[in-house]
Amino acid sequence: MAQATAVVLDSDQHRRDDIRIRLSRCGVLPICFKDEWTCLENIHHIRPAFAVLQPDSREAAIRFVNIAKAIRSTFPVIVLSNQREIENFVHSHWLVNLFFLHYPADERDFQGTIRRLAGSKPKPGRPVLIAVDPESQRRMACLPLLASSREPLWIQGEAGVGKRLLAASVYNCMPSGASEPEYMPARNISTRWIRDKRRRVDRPRAAKQPVQVCVIENIEALPVGLQAQLLPILEAPAVGSGAGGGGPAVRFISLAEPDVVRLIRQGRFRQDLYHRLSVLKLSVPPLRHRREDVPALADFFAAQTSIRHRGAIVRLPDAVRRDLKHYPWPGNVAELKGAIARILARDVIDWAAAVPGRGAGPVGGSRQRRPGAGIDLGEDLRRFLKNNPDLSLKKAKRGFGMQVESRIMQAALVCTRGNCKKAAGLLNISYKSMLNKVKDYQLV
């Protein structure tokens, strides 16, 4: 039998040697690295059994784990640390095959973790969830609780925020006994489909019969006539009540846009159906409200895309990651994923030109500009007013002015390759003023 191989990442030579000796005692062949990206490249190329990581910070732990999951979603990682915030991240419920050990670890605990890792078998195909923003992490931590219930679940958010991915994640957290989810766009629902669900609900369910999970996409598009037909199924005792022998035969997960309340007021969506489908509710904010997630998502998509198309992991420059973080992303995560694919399709020296909001205009736009060569004020102004509909003229003038100033500062830094002194000269302002603006707008 071939000997198991593990990669070890630690910047300290003495700790690397200690971990190497411990792994050798467990019959594992260790390959040690002090550089993060070299280690990640080797995870892709040599396909080790697992990784042992001793990060310097929580941010370093999150980045390494997310990119490792982009390489292989179920790849096991052992994290050694004494930092509580790193321990809390590793013990999250939304990432699988993560193991935590306080370092220096007791030899018995170390060997026990290696044995647990060898015996772990996570579900294949489980989606990878990226959560860095504290609110995003709290939301992900609720998924096992939502999955343990049989009540209908309502997942609400703008297009592109990842509602379908969250539905799949809830299913993956469900106890055994649930069938593969059936994804049904609301516009494709028919009277025949509703009758089939009604027959399944009315039929007494044996204890071992799998629960059918129905994910209705864009539920707000369901015609009012079919809404009336769906409601009796949800009011049947077997749905969510535990009646009918083995409990509910069908569990409904509804995916909805945020404007359902407006549709209810207009009489285009039944209020009683909404309340019955939203016994449990998960609201997903747009990406512009969780900017801390943007660089992590960008790293994940960049690794995933570059492995698929280039056969190697590509690292996004810090300036590109920073620009991506400050763009409002009206198309949310779906737009970000497409933008990363377009960025990686360009020559490396021209990446900045493909970053939305810097010089290429909105994602998918036809015009291409050099980095910092100009600012599309008309498009920016339309986007600003759309995202801030309740502003007065005075507040809009001030808010948009600050946004334009930030973009100008950003363009000057691009033209001078991040040299604040040269950028100050380019804009004819003092060096101190330039530093203050850079700090105010978080451009470095």
Side-chain angles (χ1 to χ4, degrees):
M1 182 181 293
Q3 186 178 18
T5 304
V7 294
V8 178
L9 175 62
D10 197 324
S11 58
D12 184 85
Q13 177 69 50
H14 296 294
R15 291 194 307 238
R16 285 201 307 273
D17 289 342
D18 176 52
I19 297 169
R20 177 176 52 79
I21 293 169
R22 287 169 178 258
L23 288 172
S24 298
R25 289 177 186 153
C26 296
V28 177
L29 176 64
I31 305 175
C32 300
F33 302 91
K34 64 178 181 179
D35 178 75
E36 175 186 31
W37 291 95
T38 305
C39 183
L40 288 165
E41 280 282 1
N42 278 275
I43 291 175
H44 168 55
H45 290 296
I46 68 176
R47 311 291 292 179
F50 61 94
V52 180
L53 166 69
Q54 183 138 229
D56 297 324
S57 65
R58 174 178 172 270
E59 291 70 27
I62 291 173
R63 183 173 58 247
F64 183 92
V65 168
N66 285 341
I67 296 176
K69 296 298 179 181
I71 298 169
R72 197 191 331 160
S73 62
T74 57
F75 182 70
V77 180
I78 298 175
V79 180
L80 306 175
S81 178
N82 286 322
Q83 297 183 37
R84 177 62 61 86
E85 57 181 8
I86 293 178
E87 181 178 4
N88 291 339
F89 165 70
V90 173
H91 287 155
S92 63
H93 297 288
W94 62 91
L95 288 170
V96 297
N97 259 16
L98 293 187
F99 303 85
F100 181 83
L101 270 174
H102 287 281
Y103 190 81
D106 177 85
E107 187 65 28
R108 185 165 49 187
D109 292 341
F110 191 93
Q111 294 184 11
T113 300
I114 299 295
R115 286 194 296 271
R116 281 195 298 120
L117 183 151
S120 63
K121 292 182 179 179
K123 286 183 181 179
R126 179 166 178 164
V128 178
L129 299 175
I130 307 297
V132 177
D133 179 82
E135 283 299 321
S136 296
Q137 293 192 351
R138 280 190 280 272
R139 197 175 306 110
M140 299 308 170
C142 293
L143 295 182
L145 183 62
L146 295 174
S148 65
S149 173
R150 296 287 176 83
E151 296 289 352
L153 171 63
W154 183 279
I155 302 178
Q156 180 173 299
E158 292 181 4
V161 294
K163 299 186 292 292
R164 204 174 195 268
L165 187 70
L166 286 171
S169 299
V170 169
Y171 164 74
N172 272 280
C173 293
M174 286 181 183
S176 57
S179 63
E180 286 289 331
E182 175 191 6
Y183 292 91
M184 176 61 69
R187 65 179 180 274
N188 293 346
I189 290 179
S190 63
T191 299
R192 179 179 179 181
W193 185 87
I194 294 175
R195 279 202 304 263
D196 177 68
K197 298 297 172 269
R198 183 62 200 242
R199 283 195 297 269
R200 187 176 180 91
V201 167
D202 290 342
R203 189 187 311 128
R205 187 173 74 88
K208 292 185 178 180
Q209 183 182 354
V211 176
Q212 187 176 50
V213 180
C214 295
V215 181
I216 304 177
E217 302 181 271
N218 297 109
I219 183 68
E220 69 277 0
L222 187 66
V224 175
L226 292 178
Q227 293 175 29
Q229 296 179 37
L230 183 61
L231 187 62
I233 300 178
L234 295 158
E235 292 175 341
V239 178
S241 68
V250 180
R251 187 182 186 188
F252 288 98
I253 300 177
S254 304
L255 311 185
E257 296 282 325
D259 60 351
V260 174
V261 174
R262 177 176 59 83
L263 296 178
I264 291 173
R265 292 198 192 105
Q266 295 173 352
R268 294 162 58 190
F269 198 88
R270 294 180 61 113
Q271 188 169 15
D272 49 0
L273 179 62
Y274 167 73
H275 288 306
R276 196 64 195 91
L277 285 171
S278 61
V279 176
L280 301 175
K281 190 173 179 181
L282 182 65
S283 295
V284 189
L287 195 54
R288 61 183 174 274
H289 292 163
R290 43 191 178 100
R291 293 184 184 273
E292 295 302 316
D293 289 344
V294 173
L297 284 163
D299 287 336
F300 178 84
F301 291 138
Q304 204 175 53
T305 304
S306 60
I307 288 171
R308 187 180 303 122
H309 298 294
R310 297 189 179 194
I313 298 173
V314 171
R315 178 182 180 181
L316 295 174
D318 290 340
V320 171
R321 297 171 78 251
R322 187 165 56 243
D323 287 348
L324 293 172
K325 183 177 179 180
H326 287 92
Y327 180 70
W329 298 110
N332 293 298
V333 180
E335 183 184 9
L336 173 61
K337 185 176 182 179
I340 294 299
R342 278 185 284 276
I343 289 171
L344 296 185
R346 301 174 71 96
D347 190 281
V348 175
I349 62 172
D350 200 28
W351 272 357
V355 175
R358 171 179 274 193
V363 174
S366 59
R367 287 183 291 176
Q368 301 287 344
R369 300 190 194 92
R370 292 180 294 105
I375 299 175
D376 187 346
L377 296 180
E379 179 61 36
D380 282 356
L381 180 57
R382 285 190 290 273
R383 189 184 301 116
F384 178 84
L385 293 176
K386 182 179 178 181
N387 293 336
N388 301 275
D390 300 327
L391 284 181
S392 65
L393 177 61
K394 184 176 180 180
K395 289 183 178 178
K397 181 180 177 181
R398 181 176 180 274
F400 186 67
M402 293 174 64
Q403 182 171 312
V404 171
E405 185 178 63
S406 170
R407 293 279 302 283
I408 292 172
M409 295 288 172
Q410 196 173 57
L413 287 170
V414 171
C415 290
T416 58
R417 299 183 180 275
N419 189 312
C420 286
K421 193 169 184 178
K422 289 183 180 179
L426 181 65
L427 298 174
N428 198 25
I429 61 175
S430 69
Y431 179 50
K432 183 177 180 181
S433 177
M434 184 69 192
L435 289 177
N436 288 336
K437 294 291 185 183
V438 167
K439 182 179 179 182
D440 290 342
Y441 293 123
Q442 298 181 342
L443 298 179
V444 294

